[in-house]
Amino acid sequence: MPYITVKMLEGRTEDQKKALVEKVTAAVSETTGAAEDKIVVFIEEMSKNHYGVAGKRLSDM
Amino acid sequence: MPYITVKMLEGRTEDQKKALVEKVTAAVSETTGAAEDKIVVFIEEMSKNHYGVAGKRLSDM
Amino acid sequence: MPYITVKMLEGRTEDQKKALVEKVTAAVSETTGAAEDKIVVFIEEMSKNHYGVAGKRLSDM
Amino acid sequence: MPYITVKMLEGRTEDQKKALVEKVTAAVSETTGAAEDKIVVFIEEMSKNHYGVAGKRLSDM
Amino acid sequence: MPYITVKMLEGRTEDQKKALVEKVTAAVSETTGAAEDKIVVFIEEMSKNHYGVAGKRLSDM
Amino acid sequence: MPYITVKMLEGRTEDQKKALVEKVTAAVSETTGAAEDKIVVFIEEMSKNHYGVAGKRLSDM
């Protein structure tokens, strides 16, 4: 606790995801006072055909 | 804003998903007053072995 | 199935939410072929101090 | 209703997932009074590179 | 890990929720092999005006 | 995009939540390359009677 879910388009590299988990954990710990070892991060990736803005999927743009 | 997530079994065609995003966006805009370009739709698909009703997975029926 | 979650700022009237559920259900049924009585809609409301864009909460703008 | 989501690392067998859906449904029915045929279970699997604790992904440990 | 979310209508007693967390945790541990102290349960309650089936909210039935 | 959800126990101050949104947004932008104005943060609070670890709710400890 806290539990953080980051939902984003697929395509980031492993290095980016590794840094993402590290930096988000640090930001949450610093601002909420939660210990780092209590913080959980989930990454959820979506594909362009499963994400739409303004009625249009990214895969159709 | 608003953010809509549609969770359904895998198997719909790209044309169905394209229409889904378009029509759901229109329905949300019409009823909430939100501008279409502020509306986000996520599609999440599940497989039959990850979905159970009444204690039984679809893949076991 | 399908299951639709609509996440939006609090403040819509009951009439708007009622119409939202009705119209979204119709849009999902029409485009996916799912029977209306299999479609579930969840509304999740958020307050302005729990929603941030570009690093700023709506309640701080 | 109720709707249960079980999020866990990938790797369980089909037999484990089948039993999971069955036993969780029974536990929810027994404790909430909901009829078993109204209970829905979703399984969501994550990979080790999309799950981090204490700022470190499982895939980096 | 695993993380279980139980989404249901508001109205259960504290005793029911207490038993729900206990029994669901046991069911998940038994079927997945996860240690009980690694299992997390979240309860999310919804009101009848935020839950619709077949295009109709429970509060409108 | 990306969309970040932070789920945590209620009780943080408005200043903590404000800083949380700001710092998490910066961390996600820095590590994923996404522009800050495309990043959305949702805060979800839970109460101690709706959160259990090892089969026990926090409100029962």
Side-chain angles (χ1 to χ4, degrees), chain D residues 13-44:
Chain D
T13 65
E14 290 306 309
D15 278 350
Q16 284 180 302
K17 292 178 193 173
K18 184 182 174 179
L20 172 69
V21 169
E22 189 185 317
K23 297 291 177 76
V24 166
T25 300
V28 171
S29 177
E30 179 196 336
T31 54
T32 65
E36 289 221 355
D37 63 353
K38 296 294 187 195
I39 297 175
V40 178
V41 179
F42 306 108
I43 297 174
E44 293 184 2

Side-chain angles (χ1 to χ4, degrees), chain C residues 13-52:
Chain C
T13 65
E14 290 306 307
D15 278 351
Q16 282 181 304
K17 292 178 194 172
K18 184 182 175 178
L20 172 70
V21 169
E22 188 185 320
K23 297 291 176 73
V24 166
T25 299
V28 171
S29 177
E30 179 196 337
T31 54
T32 64
E36 289 220 357
D37 63 352
K38 296 293 187 196
I39 297 174
V40 178
V41 179
F42 305 107
I43 297 174
E44 293 185 1
E45 290 186 323
M46 46 190 179
S47 52
K48 288 188 176 179
N49 64 330
H50 285 174
Y51 175 55

Side-chain angles (χ1 to χ4, degrees), chain B residues 7-19:
Chain B
K7 196 178 179 102
M8 59 184 185
L9 281 177
E10 57 195 7
R12 265 74 182 197
T13 65
E14 290 305 308
D15 278 351
Q16 284 181 302
K17 292 178 195 172
K18 183 182 175 180

Side-chain angles (χ1 to χ4, degrees), chain A residues 3-5 7 23 30 51, chain F residues 3 5 7 23 30 51:
Chain A
Y3 302 93
I4 299 102
T5 304
K7 196 177 179 100
K23 297 292 176 74
E30 179 195 337
Y51 174 54
Chain F
Y3 301 92
T5 303
K7 196 179 179 99
K23 296 291 176 74
E30 180 195 336
Y51 174 55

